[in-house]
């Protein structure tokens, strides 16, 4: 096989650096190469764009709104499979990681640690038989561009199919964009339509579609799909007849099976968010703790077949009215708002406090309160009736749980420790199941009885 020489040219726009430096929201605190994986840790949630390019095979990850906490962390790695990994800052607000190597390398990225860690795993594709490498780079340049013709959307059960056609066969690059979830495809050497407006009815998976030119001066059509769910698989079939390309959006089956099981819905409301940090003690902000525990609770409820909605799944501000509006439009069986308590006047006061307002919520509050005391070593700070906005206006049994005092050292340890966070999630799951009068293994049976 012929070795390809690759030139990487990185342009820095130094002049812009100072003008835009203050807009960067996220910072990289560490980069590591471990077990054939690049591990990047950041302060805040990572928002990134992934692009796959061919000839030579590259994976490009742009971490948006991000810079390095310490420029000394900028590093290059060479993997065990002789993949080159370069990490550069792209002023004003991007960090770019380029993986470059052989075509028979599989690179997979995913977020972990509450979206604050990005892991990219490199593996050799064992099954591939090395064949003749065709050099089609020159072909691309000499051929005149084709034209985008149309885009047809077909909805089937559990699947949205998009068929794109052009005046010639298409080569493409795809991109996955997170926060918010989008899927983009660039049709190379295909001119975009003159009128990019598109008649489009939202599907269960796609909220909107935009078609345009990928970049000025480039004969590439970019189609961006705004996705309504983050658990979608996007598969492309480019072997259709008549210069067509099919994109299939489907729910990742593993998740779908869990969600479909019981028909029971729970809304979890992680308190505060965005500029509203909630209580703040010992370097911890309540909004983050609320979200971590809410996400753990979501996972735990989903594991027993319950459909779970979060009022927010990122660090964003949401008004109380919006939280109620989301909840009441879902019509859940249970609503729970997750909070951490705080007291300015005393650092000694500690314990769990559970609030309810309506009479139909009293039993739920009781089960939740008892279950937390049962699972977590924390004092009892009583069940209370209070008119908090979210529990007063939710149309279903609703509870606001103050899981402990952030202002107290002992409670704070419980709230910020991953193991006790799991215990809180387990306690709340047990309580919700008890309230709904279902045992874990009976969720499936209840579903059968409903039919
Ligand atoms: Zn709070």
């Amino acid at each position: 096989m012929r070795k390809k020489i690759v030139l990487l040219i990185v342009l820095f726009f130094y002049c812009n650096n100072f003008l835009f430096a203050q807009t960067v929201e996220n910072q990289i605190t560490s980069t590591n190469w471990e077990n054939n994986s690049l591990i990047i840790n950041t302060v805040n949630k990572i928002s990134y764009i992934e692009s796959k390019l061919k000839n030579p095979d590259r994976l490009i990850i742009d971490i948006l709104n991000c810079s390095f906490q310490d420029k000394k962390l900028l590093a290059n790695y060479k993997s065990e499979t002789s993949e080159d990994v370069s990490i550069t800052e792209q002023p004003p607000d991007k960090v770019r990681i380029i993986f470059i190597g052989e075509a028979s390398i599989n690179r997979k990225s995913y977020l972990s640690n509450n979206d604050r860690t990005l892991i990219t795993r490199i593996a050799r594709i064992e099954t591939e038989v090395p064949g003749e490498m065709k050099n089609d780079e020159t072909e691309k340049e000499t051929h005149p561009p084709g034209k985008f013709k149309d885009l047809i959307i077909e909805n089937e059960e559990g699947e949205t199919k998009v068929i794109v056609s052009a005046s010639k066969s298409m080569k493409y690059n795809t991109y996955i964009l997170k926060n918010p979830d989008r899927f983009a495809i660039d049709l190379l050497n295909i001119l975009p339509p003159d009128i990019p407006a598109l008649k489009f009815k939202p599907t269960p998976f796609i909220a909107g579609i935009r078609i345009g030119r990928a970049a000025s001066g480039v004969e590439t059509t970019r189609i961006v799909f705004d996705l309504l769910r983050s658990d979608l698989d996007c598969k492309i079939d480019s072997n259709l007849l008549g210069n067509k390309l099919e994109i299939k959006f489907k729910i990742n089956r593993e998740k779908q099976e869990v969600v479909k099981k019981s028909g029971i819905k729970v809304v979890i409301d992680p308190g505060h968010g965005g500029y509203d940090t909630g209580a703040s003690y010992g370097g911890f902000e309540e909004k983050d703790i609320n979200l971590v525990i809410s996400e753990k609770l979501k996972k735990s409820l989903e594991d027993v077949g319950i459909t779970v909605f979060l009022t927010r799944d990122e660090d964003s501000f949401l008004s109380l009215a919006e939280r109620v509006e989301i909840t009441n439009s879902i019509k859940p069986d249970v609503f729970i708002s997750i909070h951490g308590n705080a007291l300015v006047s005393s650092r000694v006061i500690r314990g769990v406090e559970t609030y309810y307002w309506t009479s139909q919520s009293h039993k739920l509050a009781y089960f939740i309160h008892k279950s937390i005391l049962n699972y977590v070593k924390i004092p009892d700070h009583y069940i209370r009736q209070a008119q908090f906005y979210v529990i007063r206006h939710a149309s279903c049994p609703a509870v606001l749980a103050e899981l402990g005092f952030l202002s107290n050292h002992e409670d704070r340890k419980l709230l910020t420790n991953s193991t006790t966070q799991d215990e809180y999630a387990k306690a709340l799951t047990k309580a919700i199941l008890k309230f709904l009068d279902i045992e874990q293994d009976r969720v499936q049976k209840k579903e059968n009885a409903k039919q």
Side-chain angles (χ1 to χ4, degrees):
M1 243 194 288
R2 198 151 43 86
K3 259 224 162 145
K4 283 190 176 158
I5 299 161
V6 176
L7 264 179
L8 274 180
I9 303 163
V10 182
L11 292 173
F12 285 93
F13 299 100
Y14 285 112
C15 51
N16 287 336
N17 199 5
F18 293 102
L19 285 169
F20 292 97
Q22 76 277 13
T23 61
V24 177
E25 283 163 9
N26 204 358
Q27 286 200 310
I28 291 175
T29 53
S30 71
T31 69
N32 268 308
W33 185 263
E34 246 174 64
N35 293 329
N36 254 333
S37 301
L38 176 71
I39 299 156
I40 291 186
N41 285 303
T42 63
V43 179
N44 293 313
K45 283 202 173 201
I46 295 172
S47 172
Y48 72 100
I49 301 176
E50 208 182 84
S51 336
K52 285 179 180 162
L53 303 177
K54 290 199 189 308
N55 299 323
D57 242 51
R58 279 155 295 165
L59 170 69
I60 297 169
I61 294 176
D62 283 333
I63 302 180
L64 308 176
N65 268 316
C66 194
S67 65
F68 272 88
Q69 209 164 54
D70 184 346
K71 309 289 175 224
K72 281 183 208 135
L73 292 168
L74 283 162
N76 290 327
Y77 298 95
K78 193 156 193 108
S79 83
E80 292 84 333
T81 49
S82 13
E83 172 116 331
D84 280 311
V85 184
S86 80
I87 308 173
T88 51
E89 266 187 336
Q90 306 262 294
D93 59 359
K94 244 184 348 196
V95 170
R96 172 164 285 185
I97 307 151
I98 303 174
F99 296 83
I100 185 162
E102 293 172 39
S104 58
I105 296 289
N106 189 11
R107 313 169 178 98
K108 221 175 179 129
S109 299
Y110 56 95
L111 291 172
S112 163
N113 179 30
N114 200 23
D115 290 359
R116 286 168 175 81
T117 302
L118 176 69
I119 301 166
T120 310
R121 234 185 112 68
I122 314 290
R124 201 177 282 282
I125 302 167
E126 301 291 352
T127 50
E128 191 166 287
V129 184
E132 278 279 305
M133 283 268 267
K134 258 192 232 156
N135 191 350
D136 50 12
E137 270 161 297
T138 44
E139 186 190 17
K140 205 189 304 172
E141 252 130 65
T142 51
H143 277 234
K147 248 194 124 170
F148 175 92
K149 275 165 83 178
D150 67 1
L151 184 151
I152 298 162
I153 300 149
E154 286 173 16
N155 275 310
E156 282 166 28
E157 221 201 298
E159 192 177 284
T160 294
K161 224 195 269 179
V162 178
I163 295 159
V164 180
S165 46
S167 63
K168 56 178 269 194
S169 72
M170 288 169 270
K171 283 191 179 136
Y172 60 88
N173 291 319
T174 60
Y175 310 81
I176 295 160
L177 300 89
K178 291 267 166 198
N179 295 331
D181 292 294
R182 280 152 294 159
F183 174 82
I185 181 164
D186 278 355
L187 309 172
L188 308 176
N189 210 27
I190 299 286
L191 292 167
D194 300 329
I195 311 153
L198 183 75
K199 269 184 233 149
F200 172 73
K201 258 195 225 153
T203 83
F205 302 152
I206 302 168
I209 301 177
R210 281 162 283 135
I211 306 175
R213 197 179 280 269
S216 63
V218 177
E219 281 154 358
T220 291
T221 299
R222 173 168 296 173
I223 311 173
V224 181
F225 298 89
D226 297 313
L227 304 180
L228 286 165
R229 319 176 48 119
S230 53
D231 57 356
L232 293 177
D233 278 339
C234 312
K235 279 212 177 101
I236 297 185
D237 183 357
S238 57
N239 296 319
L240 303 189
L241 289 172
N243 303 329
K244 285 186 169 123
L245 186 139
E246 180 188 79
I247 310 161
K248 261 190 207 171
F249 296 90
K250 216 174 173 176
I251 298 173
N252 186 307
R253 213 185 298 137
E254 284 165 37
K255 286 196 176 179
Q256 188 187 23
E257 273 165 19
V258 173
V259 170
K260 265 197 156 179
K261 259 192 240 166
S262 70
I264 293 163
K265 293 182 280 186
V266 169
V267 170
I268 307 168
D269 174 45
H272 312 280
Y275 65 83
D276 171 19
T277 60
S280 177
Y281 286 88
F284 294 98
E285 288 181 339
E286 188 202 331
K287 62 173 184 177
D288 299 326
I289 297 167
N290 296 341
L291 185 58
V292 172
I293 295 174
S294 296
E295 278 171 344
K296 286 185 183 236
L297 174 59
K298 177 177 190 278
K299 168 101 200 1
S300 163
L301 287 167
E302 281 177 349
D303 283 346
V304 296
I306 290 175
T307 305
V308 182
F309 301 86
L310 293 174
T311 53
R312 68 173 174 100
D313 62 0
E314 54 183 27
D315 182 19
S316 55
F317 176 78
L318 208 62
S319 71
L320 298 177
E322 282 171 306
R323 291 169 201 260
V324 169
E325 206 174 289
I326 292 168
T327 304
N328 291 346
S329 71
I330 290 166
K331 298 193 182 73
D333 299 275
V334 162
F335 169 88
I336 178 165
S337 189
I338 302 289
H339 283 259
N341 224 332
L343 210 57
V344 184
S345 55
S346 165
R347 300 230 166 175
V348 185
I349 301 288
R350 54 177 304 208
V352 56
E353 247 173 44
T354 310
Y355 289 90
Y356 70 99
W357 176 244
T358 62
S359 57
Q360 62 165 349
S361 307
H362 182 235
K363 207 164 124 187
L364 176 64
Y366 177 82
F367 287 144
I368 284 175
H369 195 76
K370 289 287 166 205
S371 189
I372 294 172
L373 293 176
N374 202 12
Y375 275 90
V376 185
K377 270 197 159 174
I378 190 163
D380 183 347
H381 213 252
Y382 316 114
I383 300 172
R384 297 161 194 265
Q385 193 175 19
Q387 293 195 46
F388 287 126
Y389 188 93
V390 287
I391 53 172
R392 185 154 60 103
H393 290 95
S395 57
C396 62
V399 158
L400 187 147
E402 299 274 9
L403 301 177
F405 282 79
L406 266 159
S407 44
N408 174 272
H409 183 66
E410 296 302 311
D411 277 15
R412 191 165 65 235
K413 268 204 277 189
L414 296 174
L415 292 167
T416 54
N417 176 289
S418 180
T419 310
T420 35
Q421 286 171 343
D422 288 336
E423 247 122 57
Y424 275 111
K426 210 194 282 175
L428 293 166
T429 301
K430 285 271 178 195
I432 290 166
L433 290 178
K434 196 166 179 196
F435 174 75
L436 295 168
D437 195 25
I438 37 174
E439 314 246 327
Q440 291 200 0
D441 58 343
R442 280 179 47 209
V443 175
Q444 184 67 54
K445 285 179 198 154
K446 190 167 172 152
E447 148 82 351
N448 295 340
K450 268 187 181 173
Q451 287 170 350

